[in-house]
Amino acid sequence: MTSIDHSRVRQSWDRIGLWLRTHVRQAPLRPAVDSGRLDAVEAAQAVTLPADVKEWWALADVSADFWIPGDFAPVALEEALETRETWLLVAEEEGPLFDQNGEPEPRFLPEFIPIAMSPGGDGLIVDLRPGGANGAVFLWDHERWGLGVPLWDSIDSMLQDIADALESQTAVLGQHAALGGAEATCVGQLGDAGELNWEPVPVA
């Protein structure tokens, strides 16, 4: 992962927030957290949060509506931690991490942290493990488990992709699709009730 220009996270959210305030219904805001709370989370959970993840939680005016593609709404840090603990308990109940052939079983890991949830119980998670996927945003299907191709390589790139798509009415998830990801590229459209819907781009 490359280093994060902190101002880009704020700038991208400001662009998204302006678009949402202009076009869609008002929604509650996800509570922000201060740096002390984030430091405490890192210490208690034995994880290191990338710079853009910290800034994501510190943003003070993030809509808690379902504005992230895939019908995901940002969750408060405390809800994210509670969901993480629940998913870790479920993973523990499933037994060994490796199958009889020594291959890793799909499991939710302590190095994963949710940032958004869908109404059906799926999540967007950030991978905090060292390596090339550190900081990347993945879909976590609560029934199928396992990680596929990252949706975005960071929260920073997620916000930039969404901001560009909303302002220009173009598709999100282009990089995910180019890497062979299973999620369809989609375009944001306004619904009759003033909601934002992400509609799949028709395959030519």
Side-chain angles (χ1 to χ4, degrees), residues 45-66:
Q45 307 297 331
V47 296
T48 299
L49 300 176
D52 64 333
V53 176
K54 288 186 175 182
E55 188 159 6
W56 162 257
W57 293 117
L59 291 173
D61 54 356
V62 172
S63 169
D65 208 350
F66 296 93

Side-chain angles (χ1 to χ4, degrees), residues 14-127:
D14 285 345
R15 292 166 59 199
I16 296 168
L18 175 61
W19 193 95
L20 294 175
R21 290 191 300 273
T22 303
H23 294 90
V24 304
R25 65 195 178 198
Q26 288 191 329
L29 300 180
R30 184 214 65 187
V33 294
D34 60 28
S35 59
R37 177 66 182 121
L38 293 170
D39 291 344
V41 167
E42 287 184 309
Q45 307 297 331
V47 296
T48 299
L49 300 176
D52 64 333
V53 176
K54 288 186 175 182
E55 188 159 6
W56 162 257
W57 293 117
L59 291 173
D61 54 356
V62 172
S63 169
D65 208 350
F66 296 93
W67 55 267
I68 302 176
D71 201 23
F72 288 95
V75 293
L77 177 59
E78 302 310 320
E79 181 180 347
L81 294 174
E82 289 174 4
T83 300
R84 176 178 175 272
E85 289 304 311
T86 298
W87 286 350
L88 286 173
L89 286 173
V90 171
E92 184 178 345
E93 291 170 357
E94 288 297 311
L97 292 176
F98 298 91
D99 64 20
Q100 59 186 0
N101 298 316
E103 295 297 322
E105 293 278 10
R107 294 285 189 273
F108 190 84
L109 300 176
E111 296 86 1
F112 299 162
I113 187 167
I115 61 167
M117 297 294 295
S118 75
D122 296 332
L124 294 184
I125 66 166
V126 174
D127 187 351

Side-chain angles (χ1 to χ4, degrees), residues 129-201:
R129 293 174 296 178
N134 178 257
V137 179
F138 290 87
L139 170 65
W140 183 261
D141 186 307
H142 76 288
E143 293 182 343
R144 290 184 298 179
W145 296 11
L147 301 183
V149 175
L151 299 178
W152 296 278
D153 62 14
S154 65
I155 285 181
D156 177 43
S157 62
M158 176 186 82
L159 294 176
Q160 287 191 68
D161 191 26
I162 295 172
D164 290 343
L166 291 176
E167 290 177 345
S168 62
Q169 285 298 283
T170 53
V172 293
L173 295 172
Q175 182 179 4
H176 172 78
L179 294 173
E183 302 305 308
T185 58
C186 48
V187 176
Q189 298 182 355
L190 292 176
D192 293 338
E195 76 279 12
L196 172 62
N197 298 316
W198 292 95
E199 299 296 338
V201 175

